[in-house]
Amino acid sequence: MKEFVVIHDFLVSEEVVGDWDGEEECVTENLNEIYHTLYQLAEDDIEPTELTQLLDLVWEHWIGQPALAEIEHEDIYDWCRHVLENREQYLEQQF
């Protein structure tokens, strides 16, 4: 059911991420990679509302983190896997 969630609705541009002292392009790429990775790792039958809430969490969690400019692919994968495996904890925090 994840096909009902349009990943392009979540992707960001350099203008949206704000000022990162010249690292806007890198931050944008990393943030979009997090969105794509989370979407790809999610089960095909995940509830669309649940997936949307988890994707919304990406912005809330990462946009203020200095590590966003330097995060590695492996760390992105690990974080996304962790979120999906512990989704109840993350979804509880949203409410």
Side-chain angles (χ1 to χ4, degrees):
M1 299 215 303
K2 77 177 178 183
E3 68 271 7
F4 294 119
V5 177
V6 180
I7 189 64
H8 295 287
D9 291 345
F10 294 89
L11 303 180
V12 296
S13 66
E14 289 181 37
E15 293 78 22
V16 174
V17 299
D19 182 20
W20 283 81
D21 296 326
E23 297 291 326
E24 293 82 8
E25 182 178 357
C26 185
V27 166
T28 299
E29 289 175 6
N30 289 343
L31 199 54
N32 286 336
E33 182 177 344
I34 296 170
Y35 282 122
H36 277 290
T37 303
L38 187 61
Y39 184 87
Q40 290 171 348
L41 290 175
E43 315 81 56
D44 289 338
D45 62 346
I46 190 171
E47 287 294 324
T49 55
E50 188 172 288
L51 180 55
T52 298
Q53 290 172 338
L54 292 172
L55 289 167
D56 285 339
L57 177 69
V58 171
W59 178 268
E60 294 170 19
H61 179 81
W62 283 105
I63 197 57
Q65 299 294 326
L68 184 56
E70 300 175 0
I71 191 167
E72 300 289 329
H73 302 290
E74 298 82 19
D75 295 329
I76 289 173
Y77 179 88
D78 290 345
W79 185 83
C80 291
R81 175 77 20 239
H82 176 78
V83 167
L84 288 167
E85 290 173 356
N86 299 285
R87 69 185 73 179
E88 295 82 17
Q89 169 191 343
Y90 287 97
L91 293 174
E92 282 178 10
Q93 292 175 359
Q94 286 189 318
F95 300 104

XYZ file of all heavy atoms in Angstrom:
809
model
N 0.812 -1.194 0.000
C 0.000 0.000 0.000
C 0.862 1.267 0.000
O 0.338 2.356 -0.063
C -0.935 -0.003 1.194
C -1.876 -1.179 1.154
S -3.523 -0.932 1.778
C -3.282 -0.398 3.423
N 2.179 1.067 0.078
C 3.022 2.264 0.088
C 2.980 3.000 -1.232
O 3.328 4.177 -1.287
C 4.451 1.931 0.496
C 5.322 1.283 -0.540
C 6.724 1.087 0.023
C 7.633 0.404 -0.936
N 8.959 0.150 -0.376
N 2.498 2.347 -2.276
C 2.398 3.022 -3.576
C 1.409 4.183 -3.548
O 1.427 5.039 -4.433
C 2.018 2.026 -4.686
C 0.619 1.458 -4.580
C 0.511 0.196 -3.736
O 1.490 -0.205 -3.098
O -0.601 -0.377 -3.709
N 0.593 4.253 -2.506
C -0.343 5.365 -2.370
C 0.326 6.625 -1.809
O -0.272 7.694 -1.776
C -1.534 4.980 -1.493
C -2.397 3.916 -2.113
C -2.579 2.699 -1.473
C -3.001 4.113 -3.342
C -3.365 1.712 -2.042
C -3.788 3.135 -3.920
C -3.970 1.917 -3.273
N 1.555 6.479 -1.340
C 2.318 7.615 -0.820
C 3.272 8.073 -1.915
O 4.067 7.288 -2.419
C 3.106 7.228 0.449
C 3.935 8.402 0.932
C 2.160 6.744 1.534
N 3.198 9.325 -2.275
C 4.039 9.877 -3.341
C 5.296 10.467 -2.703
O 5.242 11.495 -2.034
C 3.270 10.966 -4.138
C 4.145 11.543 -5.237
C 1.979 10.384 -4.698
N 6.416 9.795 -2.918
C 7.673 10.208 -2.294
C 8.083 11.606 -2.732
O 8.680 12.356 -1.960
C 8.787 9.176 -2.558
C 10.044 9.477 -1.729
C 9.131 9.125 -4.031
C 9.864 9.384 -0.261
N 7.750 11.988 -3.925
C 8.136 13.308 -4.437
C 7.482 14.451 -3.654
O 7.971 15.573 -3.693
C 7.827 13.421 -5.930
C 8.645 12.466 -6.739
N 9.984 12.649 -6.970
C 8.326 11.298 -7.326
C 10.454 11.653 -7.689
N 9.467 10.807 -7.910
N 6.420 14.157 -2.935
C 5.795 15.174 -2.097
C 6.663 15.541 -0.894
O 6.450 16.575 -0.268
C 4.431 14.693 -1.585
C 3.393 14.600 -2.691
O 3.624 15.163 -3.779
O 2.354 13.955 -2.455
N 7.639 14.696 -0.575
C 8.483 14.915 0.601
C 9.854 15.470 0.259
O 10.516 16.047 1.107
C 8.646 13.602 1.378
C 7.367 13.130 1.975
C 6.515 12.303 1.266
C 6.980 13.542 3.243
C 5.315 11.873 1.810
C 5.789 13.122 3.792
C 4.953 12.293 3.074
N 10.304 15.273 -0.961
C 11.648 15.683 -1.345
C 11.802 17.195 -1.265
O 10.852 17.936 -1.486
C 11.980 15.167 -2.744
C 11.880 13.651 -2.910
C 12.242 13.263 -4.340
C 12.763 12.922 -1.914
N 13.016 17.639 -0.937
C 13.265 19.055 -0.695
C 14.288 19.613 -1.687
O 15.002 18.865 -2.340
C 13.770 19.287 0.747
C 12.697 18.891 1.751
C 15.058 18.539 1.015
N 14.336 20.921 -1.755
C 15.314 21.619 -2.589
C 16.239 22.424 -1.682
O 15.982 22.573 -0.485
C 14.605 22.555 -3.570
O 13.953 23.586 -2.854
N 17.290 22.972 -2.263
C 18.229 23.785 -1.490
C 17.543 24.985 -0.852
O 17.894 25.400 0.257
C 19.382 24.251 -2.374
C 20.321 23.142 -2.760
C 21.470 23.625 -3.624
O 21.965 24.742 -3.395
O 21.866 22.876 -4.530
N 16.575 25.543 -1.530
C 15.872 26.711 -1.003
C 15.099 26.374 0.268
O 14.930 27.218 1.145
C 14.915 27.290 -2.050
C 15.593 27.891 -3.253
C 16.093 26.858 -4.278
O 15.584 25.708 -4.304
O 17.018 27.187 -5.030
N 14.630 25.150 0.363
C 13.800 24.749 1.491
C 14.638 24.453 2.734
O 14.210 24.746 3.852
C 12.948 23.509 1.115
C 12.190 22.964 2.304
C 11.986 23.851 -0.008
N 15.843 23.922 2.563
C 16.636 23.522 3.730
C 17.231 24.693 4.483
O 17.642 24.556 5.628
C 17.752 22.507 3.365
C 17.153 21.234 2.798
C 18.782 23.106 2.444
N 17.302 25.844 3.856
C 17.815 27.023 4.537
C 19.320 27.160 4.424
O 19.970 26.509 3.608
N 19.878 27.988 5.283
C 21.311 28.297 5.236
C 22.116 27.258 6.008
O 21.910 27.060 7.199
C 21.537 29.689 5.832
C 22.989 30.105 5.773
O 23.754 29.541 4.969
O 23.371 30.998 6.551
N 23.038 26.622 5.298
C 23.933 25.629 5.905
C 25.392 25.988 5.619
O 26.228 25.118 5.409
C 23.603 24.234 5.384
C 22.381 23.655 6.018
C 21.091 23.905 5.693
C 22.348 22.734 7.107
N 20.245 23.204 6.505
C 20.996 22.471 7.372
C 23.321 22.112 7.871
C 20.603 21.599 8.396
C 22.919 21.240 8.869
C 21.572 20.996 9.132
N 25.702 27.247 5.580
C 27.078 27.720 5.386
C 27.749 27.094 4.170
O 28.867 26.586 4.252
C 27.928 27.467 6.642
C 27.431 28.256 7.838
O 26.944 29.388 7.638
O 27.521 27.739 8.965
N 27.055 27.122 3.052
C 27.616 26.593 1.814
C 27.412 25.110 1.612
O 27.817 24.556 0.587
N 26.798 24.430 2.565
C 26.574 22.979 2.487
C 25.137 22.643 2.080
O 24.702 21.511 2.240
C 26.889 22.330 3.837
C 28.325 22.455 4.266
C 29.259 21.632 3.405
O 28.876 20.552 2.936
O 30.405 22.083 3.184
N 24.418 23.606 1.543
C 23.003 23.399 1.219
C 22.789 22.247 0.241
O 21.864 21.455 0.403
C 22.392 24.684 0.653
C 22.293 25.818 1.633
C 23.584 26.605 1.801
O 24.561 26.376 1.050
O 23.624 27.458 2.703
N 23.638 22.147 -0.763
C 23.487 21.074 -1.754
C 23.681 19.708 -1.110
O 22.894 18.782 -1.332
C 24.483 21.258 -2.902
C 24.341 20.197 -3.976
C 25.301 20.402 -5.139
O 26.048 21.401 -5.167
O 25.299 19.540 -6.041
N 24.692 19.587 -0.289
C 24.971 18.325 0.394
C 23.837 17.957 1.357
O 23.399 16.810 1.406
C 26.295 18.435 1.135
S 26.832 16.916 1.899
N 23.361 18.936 2.104
C 22.261 18.709 3.042
C 21.009 18.272 2.292
O 20.318 17.336 2.702
C 21.998 19.982 3.885
C 20.669 19.903 4.621
C 23.140 20.205 4.852
N 20.738 18.915 1.179
C 19.573 18.564 0.371
C 19.681 17.132 -0.136
O 18.730 16.354 -0.042
C 19.440 19.537 -0.820
O 19.275 20.866 -0.303
C 18.252 19.189 -1.691
N 20.839 16.778 -0.667
C 21.039 15.421 -1.175
C 20.890 14.388 -0.063
O 20.245 13.350 -0.258
C 22.415 15.298 -1.822
C 22.522 16.037 -3.137
C 23.936 16.018 -3.711
O 24.820 15.327 -3.154
O 24.155 16.708 -4.722
N 21.472 14.664 1.090
C 21.387 13.712 2.199
C 19.966 13.568 2.718
O 19.508 12.460 2.999
C 22.328 14.131 3.325
C 23.779 13.940 2.977
O 24.124 13.218 2.036
N 24.656 14.596 3.714
N 19.277 14.680 2.843
C 17.892 14.627 3.314
C 17.022 13.844 2.338
O 16.230 12.984 2.743
C 17.361 16.051 3.513
C 16.139 16.234 4.382
C 16.319 15.604 5.756
C 15.840 17.713 4.540
N 17.187 14.095 1.054
C 16.411 13.363 0.055
C 16.788 11.886 0.025
O 15.935 11.024 -0.201
C 16.565 14.007 -1.315
C 15.793 15.306 -1.411
O 14.831 15.525 -0.689
N 16.234 16.183 -2.291
N 18.055 11.577 0.288
C 18.461 10.169 0.369
C 17.788 9.484 1.556
O 17.377 8.327 1.467
C 19.975 10.053 0.479
C 20.434 8.606 0.504
C 21.940 8.423 0.545
O 22.691 9.378 0.258
O 22.367 7.297 0.851
N 17.662 10.195 2.660
C 16.967 9.627 3.815
C 15.514 9.322 3.455
O 14.999 8.242 3.753
C 17.058 10.567 5.034
C 18.511 10.709 5.489
C 16.182 10.060 6.181
C 18.742 11.799 6.523
N 14.858 10.281 2.805
C 13.469 10.038 2.387
C 13.374 8.814 1.481
O 12.531 7.942 1.689
C 12.913 11.259 1.641
C 12.501 12.403 2.527
C 13.074 13.661 2.381
C 11.512 12.250 3.501
C 12.690 14.728 3.176
C 11.124 13.315 4.299
C 11.721 14.543 4.129
O 11.334 15.592 4.927
N 14.215 8.747 0.473
C 14.171 7.623 -0.469
C 14.475 6.296 0.217
O 13.810 5.289 -0.047
C 15.162 7.850 -1.618
C 14.640 8.716 -2.700
N 13.632 8.325 -3.563
C 14.994 9.964 -3.098
C 13.390 9.284 -4.421
N 14.202 10.297 -4.160
N 15.470 6.290 1.085
C 15.845 5.056 1.760
C 14.736 4.558 2.670
O 14.399 3.368 2.664
C 17.152 5.264 2.558
O 18.181 5.708 1.663
C 17.594 3.974 3.232
N 14.147 5.453 3.436
C 13.043 5.067 4.314
C 11.886 4.512 3.498
O 11.302 3.479 3.847
C 12.601 6.269 5.152
C 11.577 5.993 6.243
C 12.129 5.008 7.268
C 11.185 7.289 6.930
N 11.574 5.160 2.403
C 10.484 4.699 1.536
C 10.797 3.324 0.960
O 9.957 2.428 0.973
C 10.260 5.718 0.418
C 9.088 5.386 -0.467
C 7.804 5.812 -0.125
C 9.249 4.648 -1.629
C 6.717 5.504 -0.928
C 8.163 4.344 -2.439
C 6.905 4.768 -2.084
O 5.824 4.457 -2.876
N 12.006 3.143 0.468
C 12.385 1.870 -0.148
C 12.405 0.724 0.856
O 12.036 -0.402 0.514
C 13.740 1.989 -0.830
C 13.707 2.839 -2.067
C 15.091 3.147 -2.622
O 16.102 2.920 -1.970
N 15.128 3.686 -3.826
N 12.836 0.996 2.070
C 12.924 -0.055 3.083
C 11.567 -0.413 3.690
O 11.415 -1.493 4.251
C 13.882 0.360 4.197
C 15.360 0.422 3.834
C 16.172 0.958 5.005
C 15.875 -0.938 3.406
N 10.607 0.479 3.583
C 9.277 0.209 4.149
C 8.632 -0.970 3.418
O 8.812 -1.154 2.214
C 8.391 1.442 4.038
N 7.900 -1.755 4.167
C 7.196 -2.888 3.578
C 6.196 -2.405 2.534
O 5.646 -1.322 2.666
C 6.413 -3.676 4.636
C 7.095 -3.993 5.920
C 7.078 -2.827 6.895
O 6.014 -2.295 7.256
O 8.176 -2.442 7.295
N 5.942 -3.215 1.542
C 4.990 -2.840 0.499
C 3.579 -2.675 1.050
O 2.795 -1.899 0.521
C 4.980 -3.877 -0.628
C 6.240 -3.835 -1.465
O 6.931 -2.786 -1.473
O 6.551 -4.854 -2.114
N 3.262 -3.386 2.119
C 1.899 -3.337 2.660
C 1.761 -2.393 3.865
O 0.765 -2.448 4.579
C 1.417 -4.737 3.030
C 2.256 -5.380 4.115
O 3.361 -4.884 4.415
O 1.803 -6.415 4.665
N 2.731 -1.513 4.077
C 2.635 -0.551 5.172
C 1.438 0.377 4.940
O 1.124 0.723 3.802
C 3.943 0.271 5.316
C 3.945 1.091 6.605
C 4.180 1.137 4.095
C 5.285 1.752 6.919
N 0.780 0.720 6.022
C -0.362 1.636 5.913
C 0.142 2.994 5.416
O 1.131 3.518 5.943
C -1.052 1.799 7.262
C -1.843 0.600 7.697
C -3.041 0.350 6.799
O -3.671 1.330 6.326
O -3.343 -0.833 6.569
N -0.521 3.582 4.434
C -0.084 4.879 3.913
C 0.022 5.962 4.982
O 0.956 6.764 4.965
C -1.145 5.229 2.868
C -1.687 3.909 2.439
C -1.646 3.043 3.666
N -0.899 5.986 5.939
C -0.834 7.006 6.988
C 0.394 6.807 7.875
O 1.027 7.779 8.289
C -2.106 7.014 7.854
O -2.322 5.699 8.381
C -3.313 7.452 7.061
N 0.727 5.563 8.135
C 1.900 5.265 8.953
C 3.185 5.670 8.220
O 4.076 6.286 8.803
C 1.928 3.776 9.286
C 2.982 3.404 10.279
C 2.828 1.959 10.723
O 1.875 1.664 11.473
O 3.666 1.134 10.317
N 3.263 5.346 6.949
C 4.432 5.724 6.162
C 4.551 7.246 6.066
O 5.638 7.802 6.199
C 4.371 5.097 4.766
C 5.549 5.417 3.840
C 6.886 5.061 4.474
C 5.366 4.700 2.503
N 3.450 7.907 5.882
C 3.460 9.372 5.815
C 3.964 9.966 7.130
O 4.768 10.894 7.125
C 2.050 9.898 5.492
O 1.662 9.409 4.206
C 2.011 11.423 5.479
N 3.521 9.429 8.248
C 3.975 9.917 9.550
C 5.478 9.697 9.719
O 6.185 10.558 10.250
C 3.215 9.233 10.677
C 1.772 9.665 10.753
C 0.980 8.838 11.749
O 1.351 7.716 12.080
N -0.115 9.404 12.237
N 5.974 8.542 9.269
C 7.410 8.267 9.380
C 8.212 9.183 8.466
O 9.289 9.655 8.840
C 7.683 6.798 9.056
C 7.143 5.791 10.070
C 7.299 4.368 9.543
C 7.816 5.956 11.419
N 7.701 9.458 7.287
C 8.389 10.378 6.372
C 8.376 11.803 6.928
O 9.363 12.532 6.792
C 7.766 10.309 4.979
C 8.043 9.013 4.209
C 7.135 8.924 2.987
C 9.504 8.889 3.813
N 7.281 12.188 7.556
C 7.227 13.508 8.200
C 8.274 13.613 9.309
O 8.843 14.682 9.549
C 5.846 13.774 8.796
C 4.799 14.109 7.756
O 5.171 14.521 6.635
O 3.598 13.954 8.055
N 8.542 12.512 9.957
C 9.521 12.467 11.031
C 10.931 12.818 10.542
O 11.723 13.384 11.290
C 9.508 11.070 11.656
C 10.502 10.785 12.760
C 10.125 11.593 14.003
C 10.526 9.313 13.070
N 11.231 12.506 9.299
C 12.562 12.780 8.748
C 12.895 14.256 8.892
O 13.953 14.621 9.417
C 12.654 12.326 7.274
C 13.944 12.803 6.633
C 12.515 10.806 7.166
N 12.023 15.112 8.429
C 12.266 16.557 8.507
C 12.401 16.989 9.967
O 13.337 17.687 10.347
C 11.145 17.327 7.817
C 11.334 18.807 7.907
C 10.838 19.644 8.871
C 12.088 19.630 7.017
N 11.239 20.941 8.626
C 12.003 20.952 7.485
C 12.827 19.375 5.864
C 12.626 22.027 6.851
C 13.444 20.437 5.228
C 13.340 21.741 5.714
N 11.465 16.561 10.793
C 11.461 16.963 12.195
C 12.738 16.540 12.907
O 13.266 17.275 13.730
C 10.251 16.360 12.914
C 8.925 16.895 12.412
C 7.744 16.115 12.951
O 7.903 15.403 13.977
O 6.671 16.189 12.349
N 13.231 15.369 12.586
C 14.411 14.839 13.262
C 15.711 15.429 12.726
O 16.619 15.735 13.491
C 14.457 13.318 13.140
C 15.657 12.709 13.802
N 15.713 12.486 15.153
C 16.853 12.318 13.296
C 16.890 11.974 15.455
N 17.608 11.851 14.351
N 15.813 15.591 11.419
C 17.104 15.889 10.811
C 17.387 17.347 10.498
O 18.554 17.745 10.443
C 17.279 15.075 9.529
C 17.621 13.660 9.825
C 16.796 12.576 9.733
C 18.884 13.155 10.277
N 17.460 11.453 10.104
C 18.745 11.776 10.431
C 20.105 13.755 10.559
C 19.804 10.977 10.864
C 21.153 12.962 10.982
C 20.996 11.589 11.134
N 16.406 18.184 10.270
C 16.684 19.505 9.707
C 17.576 20.363 10.602
O 18.363 21.156 10.097
C 15.387 20.257 9.307
C 15.745 21.409 8.372
C 14.614 20.704 10.539
C 16.486 21.040 7.117
N 17.556 20.193 11.876
C 18.405 20.995 12.740
C 19.696 20.321 13.170
O 20.453 20.870 13.955
N 19.955 19.118 12.665
C 21.115 18.342 13.093
C 22.360 18.674 12.275
O 22.368 18.482 11.056
C 20.820 16.839 12.961
C 19.661 16.363 13.794
C 19.948 16.474 15.279
O 21.075 16.293 15.725
N 18.921 16.789 16.046
N 23.409 19.160 12.896
C 24.646 19.465 12.166
C 25.202 18.258 11.411
O 25.830 18.410 10.366
C 25.614 19.908 13.270
C 24.744 20.351 14.394
C 23.507 19.510 14.309
N 24.956 17.060 11.904
C 25.461 15.843 11.258
C 24.851 15.611 9.877
O 25.390 14.838 9.082
C 25.197 14.629 12.148
N 23.760 16.279 9.575
C 23.088 16.091 8.291
C 23.995 16.419 7.111
O 23.908 15.802 6.061
C 21.813 16.930 8.229
C 20.931 16.781 6.995
C 20.524 15.320 6.775
C 19.701 17.656 7.121
N 24.901 17.350 7.280
C 25.801 17.742 6.193
C 26.874 16.693 5.926
O 27.450 16.674 4.839
C 26.448 19.087 6.510
N 27.130 15.824 6.892
C 28.240 14.884 6.760
C 27.840 13.424 6.883
O 28.711 12.545 6.883
C 29.296 15.202 7.819
C 29.852 16.605 7.692
C 30.800 16.956 8.821
O 31.038 16.115 9.710
O 31.297 18.090 8.807
N 26.570 13.131 6.997
C 26.128 11.762 7.224
C 26.506 10.864 6.037
O 26.449 11.280 4.881
C 24.611 11.707 7.516
C 24.218 10.325 8.021
C 23.792 12.135 6.310
C 22.834 10.266 8.626
N 26.908 9.651 6.337
C 27.332 8.677 5.325
C 26.146 7.801 4.914
O 25.184 7.637 5.667
C 28.448 7.795 5.890
C 29.679 8.559 6.321
C 30.463 9.123 5.157
O 30.458 8.514 4.078
O 31.089 10.196 5.338
N 26.257 7.193 3.734
C 25.191 6.339 3.205
C 24.832 5.210 4.179
O 23.656 4.914 4.383
C 25.585 5.740 1.859
C 25.908 6.760 0.823
N 24.954 7.571 0.243
C 27.088 7.118 0.272
C 25.531 8.382 -0.619
N 26.818 8.133 -0.614
N 25.849 4.597 4.763
C 25.615 3.490 5.688
C 24.833 3.954 6.917
O 23.975 3.232 7.423
C 26.940 2.857 6.142
C 27.742 2.250 5.030
C 28.589 3.275 4.260
O 28.851 4.386 4.775
O 28.956 2.970 3.112
N 25.141 5.156 7.377
C 24.438 5.697 8.542
C 22.987 6.034 8.202
O 22.096 5.863 9.044
C 25.157 6.928 9.076
C 26.547 6.585 9.621
O 26.734 5.463 10.131
O 27.445 7.443 9.511
N 22.763 6.504 7.007
C 21.390 6.772 6.558
C 20.599 5.476 6.537
O 19.486 5.397 7.066
C 21.380 7.444 5.168
C 21.890 8.885 5.292
C 19.981 7.391 4.536
C 22.088 9.603 3.978
N 21.179 4.448 5.947
C 20.518 3.140 5.887
C 20.218 2.629 7.299
O 19.095 2.192 7.582
C 21.390 2.143 5.124
C 20.781 0.775 5.042
C 19.921 0.442 4.001
C 21.048 -0.196 6.011
C 19.346 -0.823 3.929
C 20.482 -1.452 5.949
C 19.634 -1.759 4.909
O 19.063 -3.009 4.836
N 21.210 2.691 8.176
C 21.032 2.200 9.546
C 19.940 2.971 10.283
O 19.124 2.380 10.999
C 22.342 2.304 10.332
C 23.396 1.314 9.845
O 23.055 0.366 9.110
O 24.579 1.518 10.205
N 19.903 4.300 10.110
C 18.888 5.095 10.789
C 17.490 4.736 10.279
O 16.556 4.556 11.077
C 19.151 6.595 10.600
C 18.191 7.445 11.376
C 18.274 7.786 12.684
C 16.979 8.038 10.889
N 17.202 8.565 13.042
C 16.387 8.733 11.962
C 16.346 8.052 9.644
C 15.186 9.430 11.835
C 15.150 8.746 9.521
C 14.583 9.427 10.604
N 17.362 4.610 8.980
C 16.053 4.279 8.395
C 15.594 2.896 8.845
O 14.421 2.709 9.182
C 16.120 4.351 6.875
S 16.330 6.031 6.247
N 16.506 1.925 8.866
C 16.178 0.580 9.328
C 15.740 0.640 10.789
O 14.749 0.027 11.173
C 17.404 -0.320 9.138
C 17.279 -1.678 9.657
C 16.515 -2.764 8.982
N 16.131 -2.834 7.633
C 14.862 -2.943 7.206
N 13.861 -2.877 8.020
N 14.570 -3.114 5.960
N 16.450 1.400 11.598
C 16.113 1.542 13.013
C 14.712 2.138 13.193
O 13.924 1.659 14.019
C 17.161 2.407 13.718
C 16.838 2.676 15.143
N 17.034 1.749 16.141
C 16.301 3.777 15.744
C 16.636 2.269 17.298
N 16.193 3.493 17.080
N 14.417 3.174 12.441
C 13.101 3.806 12.539
C 11.999 2.807 12.188
O 10.998 2.705 12.899
C 13.018 5.062 11.637
C 11.583 5.538 11.483
C 13.890 6.172 12.201
N 12.194 2.069 11.122
C 11.163 1.111 10.711
C 11.010 -0.028 11.719
O 9.892 -0.478 11.984
C 11.466 0.561 9.321
C 11.239 1.564 8.197
C 11.851 1.064 6.896
C 9.751 1.846 8.014
N 12.110 -0.476 12.296
C 12.052 -1.565 13.269
C 11.473 -1.106 14.605
O 10.966 -1.920 15.378
C 13.448 -2.151 13.488
C 13.946 -2.933 12.279
C 15.397 -3.365 12.417
O 16.066 -3.003 13.413
O 15.874 -4.057 11.492
N 11.541 0.176 14.879
C 11.061 0.728 16.151
C 9.987 1.787 15.928
O 9.883 2.744 16.685
C 12.245 1.331 16.921
C 13.291 0.296 17.237
O 13.111 -0.519 18.121
N 14.375 0.303 16.482
N 9.210 1.608 14.914
C 8.252 2.644 14.507
C 7.263 3.029 15.582
O 6.857 4.172 15.660
C 7.521 2.237 13.232
C 6.573 1.078 13.402
C 5.984 0.647 12.099
N 7.049 -0.028 11.366
C 6.919 -0.570 10.182
N 5.771 -0.504 9.567
N 7.907 -1.176 9.602
N 6.869 2.085 16.437
C 5.904 2.418 17.480
C 6.458 3.520 18.375
O 5.746 4.458 18.731
C 5.566 1.183 18.330
C 4.851 0.084 17.566
C 5.815 -0.807 16.779
O 7.030 -0.810 17.047
O 5.341 -1.484 15.850
N 7.723 3.414 18.718
C 8.372 4.423 19.563
C 8.368 5.793 18.879
O 8.057 6.799 19.499
C 9.811 3.993 19.829
C 10.676 5.048 20.459
C 12.147 4.653 20.462
O 12.487 3.493 20.288
N 12.997 5.625 20.674
N 8.669 5.819 17.615
C 8.743 7.101 16.884
C 7.356 7.687 16.633
O 7.173 8.884 16.697
C 9.491 6.925 15.571
C 10.964 6.739 15.782
C 11.521 5.468 15.811
C 11.794 7.829 15.988
C 12.876 5.290 16.023
C 13.156 7.662 16.214
C 13.686 6.391 16.230
O 15.026 6.227 16.448
N 6.393 6.828 16.369
C 5.044 7.319 16.121
C 4.404 7.836 17.408
O 3.634 8.777 17.378
C 4.187 6.214 15.490
C 4.616 5.821 14.068
C 3.811 4.635 13.579
C 4.523 6.990 13.099
N 4.738 7.234 18.546
C 4.227 7.716 19.828
C 4.734 9.117 20.115
O 4.000 9.940 20.661
C 4.690 6.798 20.960
C 3.927 5.520 21.069
C 4.477 4.629 22.177
O 5.324 5.087 22.972
O 4.056 3.471 22.244
N 5.969 9.391 19.742
C 6.573 10.691 20.027
C 5.916 11.807 19.227
O 6.008 12.973 19.602
C 8.068 10.670 19.698
C 8.858 9.777 20.625
C 10.307 9.664 20.206
O 10.725 10.233 19.206
N 11.079 8.916 20.953
N 5.261 11.470 18.137
C 4.631 12.491 17.301
C 3.348 13.013 17.907
O 2.867 14.049 17.533
C 4.361 11.946 15.899
C 5.606 11.829 15.071
C 5.284 11.495 13.634
O 4.433 10.675 13.341
N 5.957 12.170 12.730
N 2.778 12.287 18.828
C 1.485 12.699 19.372
C 1.559 13.137 20.783
O 2.368 13.086 21.540
C 0.465 11.559 19.246
C 0.248 11.165 17.819
C 0.801 10.008 17.304
C -0.485 11.972 16.968
C 0.612 9.648 15.984
C -0.691 11.620 15.633
C -0.136 10.454 15.164
